[in-house]
Amino acid sequence: MTPTLLRTAAELHARPRSGRRAVVMTMGALHEGHATLIRTARDLAGPDGEVVVTVFVNPLQFGRGEDLDRYPRTLDADLKIAEEAGADAVFAPAVDEVYPGGEPQVRVSAGPMGERLEGASRPGHFDGVLTVVAKLLHLTRPDVALYGQKDAQQLALIRRMVRDLNFGIEIVGVPTVREDDGLALSSRNRYLSAKERRTALALSAALFAGRDRHAAQEALRARAREVPATHARAEALSALGESRAAADAHAVAQAVPGAAAAVREAARLVLDDAARLDPPLELDYLALVDPSDFTEIGDRGDDFTGEAVLAVAARVGTTRLIDNLPLTFGTLGAAL
């Protein structure tokens, strides 16, 4: 059934509610990544609940010289995708509906986390994001709201805002959806020419290289822990032909740089190669960060354990793209 198109908060609030309301916030130009969010929302809301998709291009989060005016507006196509994915309603308000008095004088501050990585590259961006997210959460009044992990820093900040300001709403992150060639789905991908797209593949390739290096190091360290601790164990393992392999693994594990440095270096090599392509990739940042506050994980060697996010941002032609992968240090293998 075609989702109901709502233009005002009054229309949205007049809708009868039963069960859970799940909200997916978008700026339109929907693609398979958004459809995955909507399908996940449908599952969480259940047959008796409701899925509301918001479509709003938020001017507060665009800086000077960014692509607000040319950002794609494709509402008819968006409605079709929302319908196929299982949405019940699409809330597509005008700017003066969300900001009836013009740009708000009171805004949500993203704090120190909002000044790192994306925030450093785009000053004020996350203040604009959190302000509109807060307003849309109040307007849509959901039980649960879903956001993509491709915008990992945004997701972390929304979780922090909801927790710090006691919104009482469940926030769910949904894994990044990729095209067959590995490129993370984004509304901005449509700006890329064929040659630019080939260069843009370096973002995901760099992340995969970092992930593979991480997995190899985790395996080496796990093997190194099996190095015999006593002469008796060494003789026993030697009889099984394993001591040489264990010693080799230990030597390699000790020879490689710190875990964080090795992961970043593997990713950077790919990005350095892409900087020499035609057209070149212009790197903004490559970082391995703590997902709780997006501070950089230092070169802590073999003793670092815990969750991390390997994040990258770069420009190809006039298009700026971001991507990331979650990693787990201290356990065998990487989080995919």
Side-chain angles (χ1 to χ4, degrees), residues 3 5-6 8 50 56 78 103 110 147 196 231 238 255 316 321:
L5 177 60
L6 307 169
T8 68
E50 179 183 44
F56 180 66
D78 295 343
E103 289 196 7
Y147 303 88
E196 288 171 342
H231 182 69
S238 181
V316 182
L321 300 170

Side-chain angles (χ1 to χ4, degrees), residues 102-175:
E103 289 196 7
Q105 296 184 34
V106 176
R107 306 188 187 197
V108 178
S109 170
M113 195 195 324
E115 298 173 357
R116 298 171 186 137
L117 297 190
E118 283 298 291
S121 298
R122 307 172 68 188
H125 169 70
F126 284 122
D127 291 355
V129 169
L130 293 186
T131 298
V132 78
V133 168
K135 288 179 71 72
L136 289 173
L137 288 175
H138 290 316
L139 289 170
T140 58
R141 302 171 184 174
D143 300 289
V144 57
L146 297 89
Y147 303 88
Q149 290 179 356
K150 185 180 80 70
D151 297 298
Q153 190 173 4
Q154 172 181 285
L155 174 59
L157 280 162
I158 291 170
R159 282 177 165 149
R160 176 64 68 128
M161 178 184 72
V162 166
R163 180 171 67 250
D164 286 356
L165 301 184
N166 303 101
F167 274 61
I169 296 167
E170 180 185 0
I171 302 298
V172 173
V174 178

Side-chain angles (χ1 to χ4, degrees), residues 49 56 187 197 273 328 333:
F56 180 66
S187 300
R197 184 186 171 85
D273 286 343
T328 304

Side-chain angles (χ1 to χ4, degrees), residues 71-326:
Y71 196 87
R73 276 94 165 160
T74 57
L75 184 58
D76 289 342
D78 295 343
L79 288 169
K80 185 64 175 176
I81 291 174
E83 175 185 357
E84 293 172 350
D88 297 296
V90 171
F91 179 47
V95 172
D96 58 3
E97 178 70 19
V98 178
Y99 302 118
E103 289 196 7
Q105 296 184 34
V106 176
R107 306 188 187 197
V108 178
S109 170
M113 195 195 324
E115 298 173 357
R116 298 171 186 137
L117 297 190
E118 283 298 291
S121 298
R122 307 172 68 188
H125 169 70
F126 284 122
D127 291 355
V129 169
L130 293 186
T131 298
V132 78
V133 168
K135 288 179 71 72
L136 289 173
L137 288 175
H138 290 316
L139 289 170
T140 58
R141 302 171 184 174
D143 300 289
V144 57
L146 297 89
Y147 303 88
Q149 290 179 356
K150 185 180 80 70
D151 297 298
Q153 190 173 4
Q154 172 181 285
L155 174 59
L157 280 162
I158 291 170
R159 282 177 165 149
R160 176 64 68 128
M161 178 184 72
V162 166
R163 180 171 67 250
D164 286 356
L165 301 184
N166 303 101
F167 274 61
I169 296 167
E170 180 185 0
I171 302 298
V172 173
V174 178
T176 301
V177 178
R178 299 184 179 278
E179 302 200 36
D180 291 342
D181 57 11
L183 188 67
L185 284 174
S186 169
S187 300
R188 289 186 169 91
N189 290 353
R190 67 185 66 198
Y191 299 153
L192 298 169
S193 68
K195 291 180 68 176
E196 288 171 342
R197 184 186 171 85
R198 286 194 290 272
T199 296
L201 292 176
L203 273 77
S204 55
L207 296 178
F208 298 156
R211 177 196 61 188
D212 292 346
R213 180 63 176 270
H214 165 264
Q217 291 209 151
E218 291 291 310
L220 283 171
R221 288 184 174 83
R223 189 71 181 97
R225 286 192 289 270
E226 300 173 12
V227 172
T230 68
H231 182 69
R233 282 191 64 202
E235 288 185 342
L237 286 172
S238 181
L240 295 174
E242 294 188 3
S243 61
R244 176 61 181 276
D248 287 348
H250 180 71
V252 173
Q254 296 304 311
V256 297
V263 168
R264 281 193 295 264
E265 179 62 19
R268 186 171 292 279
L269 288 173
V270 176
L271 297 170
D272 287 346
D273 286 343
R276 294 186 286 271
L277 296 177
D278 178 23
L281 180 141
E282 300 175 23
L283 182 64
D284 188 344
Y285 62 76
L286 170 69
L288 187 67
V289 297
D290 183 329
S292 67
D293 59 9
F294 271 69
T295 55
E296 188 82 22
I297 293 171
D299 300 334
R300 307 176 199 177
D302 297 341
D303 59 353
F304 172 71
T305 59
E307 302 300 314
V309 172
L310 182 61
V312 63
R315 189 174 297 276
V316 182
T318 61
T319 304
R320 188 175 183 276
L321 300 170
I322 63 172
D323 202 352
N324 71 84
L325 276 180

Side-chain angles (χ1 to χ4, degrees), residues 33-57:
H34 298 109
T36 299
L37 285 167
I38 298 167
R39 287 192 292 267
T40 305
R42 179 78 273 159
D43 291 341
L44 291 175
D48 299 324
E50 179 183 44
V51 174
V52 176
V53 176
T54 70
V55 174
F56 180 66
V57 181

